[in-house]
Amino acid sequence: MLIILSHFGSSDLDLTFDVNYSLETGYDFFQVYAATNSSSWTLVGNYTGSSSGWTTETIDLLNYSGQQNFTLYFLTITDFTVTSGHGASIDDILISG
């Protein structure tokens, strides 16, 4: 999932979302990336293993506050050898500052 955001002037910026993931520990990942130019991505959140149900995560986006535009990218990376987990689901995405 790709989210393009514009014109945040706040000096403090947080990404909050609910996530439920069940992934092969150390081999499958749910990741969150951020970029100001959509070509130089920075990993800002990395999850593997199991969340044991829905949990709320908050990521500090202070490095992106005051930017004219920036992009968030949610990515699930899996291999094909173990398929016991359900992957990752996200809900209630909130950008606050």
Side-chain angles (χ1 to χ4, degrees):
M1 173 189 296
L2 188 69
I3 300 174
I4 300 172
L5 303 162
S6 296
H7 215 50
F8 281 93
S10 174
S11 61
D12 187 25
L13 197 60
D14 291 317
L15 165 66
T16 303
F17 57 94
D18 293 336
V19 63
N20 183 0
Y21 57 92
S22 179
L23 303 162
E24 184 183 9
T25 302
Y27 296 95
D28 298 345
F29 302 92
F30 170 68
Q31 298 178 327
V32 182
Y33 289 87
T36 55
N37 60 14
S38 296
S39 63
S40 296
W41 295 96
T42 300
L43 181 65
V44 295
N46 191 34
Y47 308 89
T48 191
S50 176
S51 62
S52 299
W54 287 97
T55 184
T56 301
E57 295 291 332
T58 299
I59 297 173
D60 181 1
L61 297 176
L62 181 62
N63 291 340
Y64 302 92
S65 64
Q67 296 293 324
Q68 180 68 27
N69 295 296
F70 73 95
T71 306
L72 294 173
Y73 185 43
F74 297 87
L75 177 67
T76 301
I77 301 170
T78 63
D79 61 21
F80 58 89
T81 58
V82 176
T83 58
S84 60
H86 69 262
S89 302
I90 58 173
D91 198 9
D92 297 329
I93 300 169
L94 174 67
I95 306 290
S96 61

